[in-house]
């Protein structure tokens, strides 16, 4: 009897022991991670191009900026000037953010050269967080499509332009308003089928 009583009492004590619960705050990071993963998966399956990410600056004035030239950068024996917002007024401009250490910048560079030869727009370069000697070597080797190149040593101008990462390319109309933004390197297909039609549209608009 006593053995049975002791056994059942012990079982009752075990049953009565409080169960440990996982705090809700401990689960929060896991829940956030799961939601973000689901969001990225939906975007991946939707087939959306990263270059089509909207920019808050579209149809708004280009930010105020004034960048010095890349030291000792020349083209045809003449110094290549820096660039400020005032230089964007009066003509349609293509503003390309690039760096010598950026591999995709090298991949798209022949297309920028082609665009410069076409004379459709003023070509502007923003050299992002680069060393002057490396920027000079980059443009000296691949060619310089830019009429002006500003040295954005600390990346401040790129932040004001809302740049996610290099390369990025903007189309700015003659009033200094940003009309289009392409994120990532231009490919022959995106250059032909996306970027050039956007440029032609801006050139044909009243602001062009």
């Amino acid at each position: 009897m006593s053995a049975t009583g002791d056994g059942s009492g012990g079982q009752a004590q075990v049953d009565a022991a409080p169960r440990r619960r996982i705090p809700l705050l401990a689960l929060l990071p896991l829940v956030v991670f799961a939601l973000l993963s689901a969001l990225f998966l939906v975007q991946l399956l939707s087939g959306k191009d990263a270059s089509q990410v909207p920019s808050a600056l579209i149809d708004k004035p280009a930010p105020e900026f004034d960048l010095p030239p890349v030291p000792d950068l020349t083209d045809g024996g003449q110094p290549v000037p820096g660039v400020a917002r005032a230089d964007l007024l009066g003509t349609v401009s293509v503003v390309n953010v690039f760096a010598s250490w950026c591999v995709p910048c090298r991949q798209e560079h022949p297309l920028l050269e082609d665009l410069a030869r076409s004379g459709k727009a003023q070509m502007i370069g923003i050299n992002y967080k680069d060393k002057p000697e490396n920027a000079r070597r980059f443009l000296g080797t691949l060619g310089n499509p830019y009429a002006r190149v500003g040295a954005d040593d600390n990346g401040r101008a790129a932040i004001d332009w809302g740049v996610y990462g290099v390369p990025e390319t903007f189309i700015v109309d003659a009033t200094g308003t940003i009309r289009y933004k392409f994120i990532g390197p231009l490919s022959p297909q995106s250059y032909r089928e996306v970027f050039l039609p956007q440029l032609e549209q801006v050139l044909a608009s009243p602001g062009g």
Side-chain angles (χ1 to χ4, degrees), residues 20-32:
R20 297 180 63 186
R21 295 183 178 180
I22 301 176
L24 291 178
L25 288 178
L27 294 175
L28 186 58
L30 181 61
V31 172
V32 172

Side-chain angles (χ1 to χ4, degrees), residues 8-137:
S8 60
Q11 185 65 38
Q13 290 177 359
V14 171
D15 291 341
R19 296 181 180 180
R20 297 180 63 186
R21 295 183 178 180
I22 301 176
L24 291 178
L25 288 178
L27 294 175
L28 186 58
L30 181 61
V31 172
V32 172
F33 175 78
L35 290 174
L36 289 175
S37 299
L39 177 61
F40 291 147
L41 180 61
V42 169
Q43 290 181 337
L44 180 64
L45 295 178
S46 69
K48 290 184 178 180
D49 188 349
S51 66
Q52 303 304 314
V53 176
S55 170
L57 295 181
I58 299 300
D59 295 330
K60 294 184 179 179
E64 289 291 343
F65 71 106
D66 190 351
L67 294 174
V70 174
D72 300 323
L73 177 63
T74 61
D75 188 13
Q78 298 297 317
V80 177
V83 61
R85 187 184 186 281
D87 299 313
L88 304 180
L89 303 178
T91 186
V92 174
S93 301
V94 171
V95 180
N96 177 251
V97 184
F98 76 100
S100 65
W101 44 263
C102 163
V103 174
C105 295
R106 293 178 177 271
Q107 296 171 351
E108 74 168 8
H109 201 80
L111 301 173
L112 300 177
E113 287 273 279
D114 180 77
L115 184 55
R117 285 191 294 269
S118 75
K120 292 180 180 293
Q122 175 182 220
M123 300 294 292
I124 300 294
I126 294 180
N127 187 223
Y128 178 73
K129 290 187 175 181
D130 213 348
K131 294 181 178 180
E133 60 271 25
N134 292 341
R136 291 194 299 268
R137 187 180 304 112

